[in-house]
Amino acid sequence: MPQTNKPETKSIKHFSVKELCQTLQISPLESGVLTQSEFPLKIPADFLAQIEIGNPLDPLLKQVLPVLAETDQVTGYTLDPVGDLNNNPTPSLIHKYHGRVLLIASPKCDIHCRYCFRRHFPYEQQINQRHWHKALELIALDESIHEVILSGGDPMSLSEKALVNLIEKIEHIPHIRTLRIHSRTPVVAPSKAPNKLLLEWAKKSRLNKVLVVHCNHANELSEQTAQLLQQYRTAGFQLLNQTVLLKDVNDNADVLIDLSHVLFNQGVLPYYLHQLDKVQGASHFEVPDLEALELHEEMRQKLPGYLLPRLVREIEGQPYKTPL
Ligand SMILES: *Cc1c(COP(=O)(O)O)cnc(C)c1O
Ligand code: SF4
């Protein structure tokens, strides 16, 4: 895969769980950490800087620290909860919804979120340039597709050059009207996010451009994310956010309301609030549906309509994200 064009020193890629605990001055024993995992700890420096020192309950830390609860075997929690591995016409393409396709643009992410439904996917084997070529051919043949969504992994973990290269190929397909990028990079690693070629491309592109970031807590947002998001907006991207509802991270109406306001301050509209996908290893993040609905109702009472995200769950076989 293409390498990132930014120096590796800007993100901490191979930080051991022990080192993380030392840096944050928390006790591994009390926090129930898991020192070995097939989905290893990965935390970018920018995200680390937003975590409170000495607080084992920090809502950002909870999202990245591997814990023993991940080894629990819980009924209903599976390896591929949304059935993505069964909907691929070609290895990097997922066509489940009308008019839009999802293209897995990168096998990697800048962060490893413990609740991620893709934590068991065989990415590295799954994607290469040959797959992209095939995927683009299929998209070009199907005129019912008008939107291409770049997802991953994280498309912004590609080098900016590789990313823009791919986007320009998509732009050449006449029936494509909208390019959408799903990325957590601008929030968790703003200093690594694409900010040159992509912006130059966007300013002159004929396509509608949407950037859906992924932010779960207002503490993830900073002056740095504000500046970066402003650049994307100026270049013509519509900015939306998706959040995953997570126990002990954001399962609190005040936290979610605050998140909506801070996102809006940074030019981003809340789009989806997702119920957790039931992936093996993530059961400790589950918020029961009834509680989720109560939280959403409280948000509805206190937020303007345009700051209320849609509460949804992905159900295998459904042609859209299903409202709760
Ligand atoms: C979520 C998702 C989309 C996008 O759905 P929207 O409701 O348009 O945001 C598209 N394809 C797949 C496979 C998805 O999982
Ligand atoms: S950034 Fe997204 S795809 Fe990557 S680990 Fe986190 S939730 Fe999963």
Side-chain angles (χ1 to χ4, degrees):
M1 288 305 297
Q3 291 299 303
T4 159
N5 56 356
K6 304 282 168 55
E8 287 286 308
T9 48
K10 280 197 176 170
S11 75
I12 297 170
K13 292 269 163 75
H14 301 291
F15 216 41
S16 76
V17 171
K18 222 176 111 200
E19 285 164 333
L20 179 66
C21 291
Q22 277 167 0
T23 305
L24 292 173
Q25 298 169 27
I26 59 165
S27 149
L29 218 58
E30 277 169 47
S31 313
V33 306
L34 182 66
T35 46
Q36 290 292 324
S37 169
E38 280 178 24
F39 184 57
L41 168 77
K42 190 171 184 182
I43 176 170
D46 293 333
F47 192 83
L48 178 61
Q50 299 297 109
I51 296 177
E52 188 189 350
I53 303 283
N55 179 9
L57 303 178
D58 182 278
L60 276 53
L61 178 64
K62 289 255 175 195
Q63 297 177 53
V64 294
L65 185 68
V67 292
L68 289 169
E70 292 179 27
T71 59
D72 293 349
Q73 296 283 334
V74 178
T75 318
Y77 281 76
T78 62
L79 296 178
D80 178 21
V82 302
D84 272 2
L85 294 175
N86 301 325
N87 283 284
N88 299 19
T90 189
S92 57
L93 198 67
I94 304 172
H95 193 182
K96 291 204 295 198
Y97 299 166
H98 181 79
R100 51 225 197 274
V101 285
L102 200 139
L103 182 63
I104 307 278
S106 167
K108 296 186 300 182
C109 293
D110 292 300
I111 187 170
H112 282 173
C113 311
R114 308 313 300 172
Y115 53 83
C116 181
F117 79 95
R118 295 188 175 108
R119 54 179 293 164
H120 304 289
F121 278 24
Y123 279 123
E124 305 288 344
Q125 303 143 37
Q126 235 196 348
I127 307 149
N128 59 41
Q129 303 279 347
R130 190 168 52 81
H131 292 151
W132 280 0
H133 186 73
K134 180 86 185 135
L136 291 169
E137 264 177 15
L138 289 174
I139 295 168
L141 284 172
D142 186 345
E143 291 192 4
S144 74
I145 299 169
H146 55 81
E147 174 170 3
V148 177
I149 304 169
L150 300 184
S151 184
D154 199 311
M156 287 190 170
S157 70
L158 290 174
S159 78
E160 194 164 3
K161 201 161 159 240
L163 176 64
V164 172
N165 227 312
L166 174 63
I167 290 174
E168 282 174 345
K169 292 203 172 90
I170 293 166
E171 191 179 25
H172 282 137
I173 304 174
H175 51 271
I176 300 305
R177 299 196 294 266
T178 301
L179 174 88
R180 186 186 333 175
I181 300 176
H182 279 186
S183 176
R184 188 142 160 73
T185 301
V187 170
V188 301
S191 62
K192 276 190 78 235
N195 62 0
K196 291 186 186 72
L197 302 177
L198 180 66
L199 300 178
E200 283 167 26
W201 169 80
K203 283 177 186 158
K204 58 181 168 45
S205 170
R206 69 171 178 91
L207 295 176
N208 298 316
K209 296 161 287 290
V210 184
L211 172 61
V212 183
V213 296
H214 169 177
C215 179
N216 298 321
H217 195 288
N219 290 3
E220 294 170 30
L221 299 167
S222 61
E223 189 47 44
Q224 220 187 348
T225 61
Q227 279 174 18
L228 178 70
L229 293 167
Q230 175 65 41
Q231 285 184 292
Y232 291 129
R233 219 147 67 98
T234 308
F237 279 95
Q238 292 276 349
L239 302 186
L240 302 172
N241 178 62
Q242 43 189 345
T243 296
V244 181
L245 186 56
L246 300 165
K247 185 167 188 284
D248 297 333
V249 172
N250 58 15
D251 57 335
N252 172 300
D254 292 334
V255 165
L256 292 168
I257 290 166
D258 186 44
L259 173 60
S260 276
H261 286 301
V262 179
L263 283 166
F264 189 54
N265 285 342
Q266 302 207 354
V268 185
L269 287 175
Y271 180 38
Y272 280 136
L273 177 60
H274 292 274
Q275 261 299 41
L276 184 75
D277 294 313
K278 296 197 172 185
V279 66
Q280 214 178 81
S283 61
H284 54 293
F285 285 114
E286 181 176 349
V287 178
D289 281 357
L290 198 62
E291 214 177 301
L293 284 163
E294 280 170 11
L295 286 169
H296 198 242
E297 178 57 26
E298 193 172 343
M299 292 170 79
R300 193 192 300 279
Q301 287 178 17
K302 296 183 179 163
L303 284 168
Y306 60 87
L307 291 187
L308 182 72
R310 301 154 177 81
L311 176 62
V312 293
R313 134 160 306 137
E314 188 152 349
I315 301 175
E316 187 172 354
Q318 290 288 318
Y320 48 77
K321 309 268 188 265
T322 313
L324 245 71

